[in-house]
Amino acid sequence: MLAQRTFRATSTETSLLHLGIATLLAIFPSVQSAGAEPDTAGYWQQEVRYVIHASLDETNATLSGREAISYVNRSPDTLTSFFLHLYLNAFRPGSRWADRDSIEGSPRFNDLEDPDYAFERVSRIEVNGVAVAPEYPYAPDSTILRIALPEALVPEDSMNLSVQWQARPSTLPRRQGRRGRRYDFAQWYPRVVVYDRGGWQDHPLYPAGEFYGEFATYDVTFDVAEDQVVGSTGVPVEGDPGWERAKADPTLQIDYQRDWYTSLLPPPSPPGRREEGGCVGGEGGGPGRKCVRFYAEDVHHFAWSVNPEYVYEEGRFEDVVVRVLYLPGEQATWGDGVAVGRTIESLRWLKELFGPYPWPQLTNLHRIEGGGTEFPMVIMDGGASMGLILHETGHQYLMGILANNEWRHGFLDEGFSSFQGAWWGEEQTPGSDAYASLAASILQFDLDGWSEPINRRGEDFRDFATYGVMTYSKAQLFYFQLRYVLGRAVMRAVLREYYDRWKLKHVTPDALRDVAEDVSGMELGWLFDQWLNQTPLIDFAIGTVERRELPDGSWETSVEVLRKGDGWMPVEIGERDRPVIYARSTGLDRTETVTFRTAEKPGRLMLDPRVRSHDWNFTNNREAGLFDLADARYRLDTFVEEPAARDRRVLSIAPTLWWNDASDATVGVRVRQNYLGRFDKRTLWVGRGVSGVAQTTEGPLDFSFSWENPIFLRSDRASQLLEGWSRDGTVGARARFSRERRSSFTSPSRHRVGWMAQWVATRQTDFLDPALWDNGGTVELGRLDDWNLGALGARWKASADARAGVTYSRVGGRTGNAKPFLRVTATGSSRRPLGAFVLGTRFFAGAYVADDLPALQRAIPLNGADPYQTLENPFVRTQGALLVQEDLQYHSPGNGNLRGFRRGLGGRWVLAANIELERYLVRRPSGVVRSVVVVGFADGALVDTVAVRTFSGTAIKAVSDGGMGVRIGLHVGDLNFPLRIEFPFIVSDPRESYETIPGDNRLGFRWLISLQPIF
Ligand SMILES: [Zn+2]
């Protein structure tokens, strides 16, 4: 809901670009960072070739495979062991993946039983014909298999492995999966672990973080049921993938590209030859079966999928054939060229951004799971939206061709692909701004202290959700910042050079940085380091501005840029009220003076007017005069919503009006403001009763002010409040500090700890209900605890409020009789589904401990809120207010919540329980009325006889009520609140009810309303 600044992107961008580059070039001399490789010299990668034969038996959902791996050691090291990934073993009980899911509260694969879980079992491995024993170094996880090599493999030497295995995908899909006759073989074969400059990358598979593989040649033969339709990495060099029968357009001439690799292909299988398993070349492995052989080069993974129902469509982008496989009935969403067209457009854009696609084809197929996953030449998508296709196709470049280690540097593929996708969106809609909303949302994570450095191993993030936000979204922001620093044209040049230099190789953050530095001539370590390895907060403030007219009539302006945050970015200096940028500061120094010349006198200045530096605090970015109100947006307050802006305060003003017995009408003005919806929330109200007591006896004006979360007190998950008032018969001041304890932003459980101090006193008792207020005041210090817990299938809330204080009385205008007291209340509640109903339960305990009876306003109330808890509400806090009328019972919830009883019943202690059974009649996601609920309720309490008298002489009194009600969930502006209309038909002590029923009958017609939830 953050407002976006509008500016004319086209004209500003261009001038900015030139200016920005010129400025930065002047600022950063072209210096290579020490030790950086200027190119790929010294880079090596292992040489791998797979020949795989795989037979799918659908009766037991098991694939039987054998593979021959030729491996050439191109590293400078001698290898004595060897590793294979067996990814499918992640999707079974006991794996690290399954355990991590369970720890994070999403037990999935640990709960699967045979035959639902996946497996990948190696039955035999030979190295150069010698059988070797597999080891599982991360047991019980078996996603990594290690063997000791019978003979060390010296540099440039080669070896041959042969592996036999059986594999089964899981019925619960995760990247891979099976459902009926559909199989998504995303992981399925023993895959060679990368050996790179960091050694063996033997890394078990976790939910956070994906894959890393050696570039290889794959020669793969599938032996599948005759009617299966196959989508796969590579080209079908022999056999029938089933597309002819599956094609949507009968006239389509399918381009199989069988001769794409002609010059490179091994000779076709000699006819008539039969290997064990009986499947060679295009000839079937038996009745009702067929063999299809796919071949691919320069890919580091090989994925395929079968489904006899697939519908086939085809298109082409230049030399690249686009194949789409979708499900029958999806013609509108996938068919008629929709998915083909979107895939082609993605390929076009990526070629423009990086360079030509190096492979023959791209297959976009509809997988079992939602979302999408990328593999070389194959994207498996749960839908056919442009955003998803563009993101996954982006991975053909960022992961497939520029092959990063996805579990170590996930931001090099995920955030990068999200960035290119957002850039495509900007190109489609000139002037659109993908950056603003992204930056604003990431800022909330930064300000709450949830951000973590994005350059870390997937499983090292706090949890899967943090991994996701950092690796996709905050990383995307990093690429935006890189583009901001470089300018768009240089960014494009960087991407092309990155591609030219590193295509079909393994890339690292340093590889990207070196290219960016080489192309731009800038030193960029500060940018990469801050955004990848730290979580800084950036805040710049404008200092002194001096304008000087030069003899030739031009102007020289000096601007002081003050760095207040721990992070820095180059900061643009422009006009506050027009889209003009004059200069950039480096942002590096604590105080930096930037001088620029202009032909005309510049107007009022502003730092970062385009909101690009991730500056979290824009309240100090504008040059302002004494009576200059331009740093805020002004609006007429609607009372039901309070918008926020990214780059300035929002100030909402409105007249107020309420009335009560003592002053008739009270008129006033309320001003409230906020920054980012969370900081510097200040409210000032001034007003005056137009007649009555207040007019004759009180000072000139009533007032109240509050200041919540001052910017200068910002710290992670902390909140502060200061307030004071003198209005409607009371005077007081309050300070509160609280901090939230929570293990993650996704955690359903949290604990807020607060401390408070307050003074509240009566000022003019004519305003106040004598049943609720004694003339006097209290000074209190207290601790407040709030818990939210998600456990045992329900949401639990609990709170505790413990205060020590002094109470005093005002009699005849004199203050005195100060006495200490302790006051403690505690509440716990939950709501949980119970069949077609929702069961709500609540417990309350409260006690006031002192030598004397409590002042009325500090007694523990039986009925609802205590008078201090309603001080905020002008329609409730005084006698004769809008909702405090003779024939109207308004219920302010709280404390004992015995709603059938009257206000003002309170004593030294209350022990209460409330039970509600709700049934939803209406539930809607939009509109003013969001829900209608009928509810039956019962409230019971044990209470001090000070509150409810007895004639039996006991010190404890049991009271109860019960009835029915209707609740209408309302949504107005930003506010969600219920309208409660309740009928407490039964009250145990009818004389203590707010509604006197003739004959002291316990049963009778009573009703109440409320605009606040009961609990
Ligand atoms: Zn992705």
Side-chain angles (χ1 to χ4, degrees), residues 738-752:
S738 71
R739 186 181 292 279
E740 186 181 75
R741 296 176 184 167
R742 198 176 184 185
S743 59
S744 170
F745 59 91
T746 57
S747 167
S749 301
R750 55 180 186 267
H751 177 197
R752 182 162 278 280

Side-chain angles (χ1 to χ4, degrees), residues 374 391-392 395 414 472:
E374 64 284 3
H391 178 90
E392 303 303 341
H395 282 310
E414 292 305 350
Y472 288 74

